[in-house]
């Protein structure tokens, strides 16, 4: 989560630097986002299992949250956020949401 947050803040800075915009840079950013998001699944699975979830229940919750979250984020960002607050504002909002998610995970892990 910390790496995701730092990377997202880096994207805020990258938006202003239009001379750096290229297909290679955008593809690298997409790969980094996917990689960091992929790392999150084993960690979340371990956390759910330590909270007493069965492997099948944990897998179902992770798949549902991934797909439902992607659908909701795609609808909200494409139809409302990007036209309203722009790319930079969207990255700031994403950073705030990632920090909120990190805080929730820390609270859950401490309650174990």
């Amino acid at each position: 989560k910390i790496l995701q947050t730092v990377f997202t803040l880096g994207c805020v800075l990258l938006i202003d630097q239009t001379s750096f915009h290229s297909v290679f840079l955008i593809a690298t950013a997409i790969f980094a986002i996917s990689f960091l998001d992929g790392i999150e699944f084993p960690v979340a699975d371990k956390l759910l299992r330590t909270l007493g979830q069965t492997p099948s229940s944990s897998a179902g919750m992770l798949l549902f949250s991934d797909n439902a979250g992607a659908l909701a984020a795609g609808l909200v960002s494409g139809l409302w956020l990007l036209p309203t607050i722009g790319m930079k504002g969207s990255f700031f909002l994403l950073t705030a949401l990632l920090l909120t998610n990190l805080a929730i995970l820390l609270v859950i892990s401490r309650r174990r």
Side-chain angles (χ1 to χ4, degrees):
K1 281 297 172 195
I2 293 169
L3 287 174
Q4 284 178 319
T5 305
V6 169
F7 181 78
T8 304
L9 283 174
C11 288
V12 170
L13 300 173
L14 178 67
I15 289 172
D16 291 335
Q17 305 299 322
T18 56
S19 60
F20 291 123
H21 292 192
S22 68
V23 173
F24 175 75
L25 187 62
I26 292 170
T28 303
I30 291 170
F31 171 77
I33 290 168
S34 301
F35 180 76
L36 291 173
D37 200 35
I39 289 173
E40 186 176 13
F41 278 92
V43 174
D45 182 53
K46 178 70 174 172
L47 181 61
L48 287 172
R49 287 191 191 191
T50 58
L51 293 173
Q53 297 289 329
T54 62
S56 59
S57 175
S58 175
M61 288 176 66
L62 289 172
L63 284 173
F64 173 76
S65 66
D66 183 44
N67 292 327
L71 178 66
L75 287 173
V76 170
S77 65
L79 297 176
W80 178 64
L81 285 178
L82 288 174
T84 306
I85 62 176
M87 195 72 142
K88 195 173 195 176
S90 295
F91 276 122
F92 276 126
L93 181 61
L94 179 60
T95 302
L97 292 172
L98 286 170
L99 287 172
T100 302
N101 188 288
L102 177 62
I104 290 169
L105 287 174
L106 288 173
V107 167
I108 290 172
S109 67
R110 294 210 187 257
R111 287 188 180 186
R112 288 187 322 124

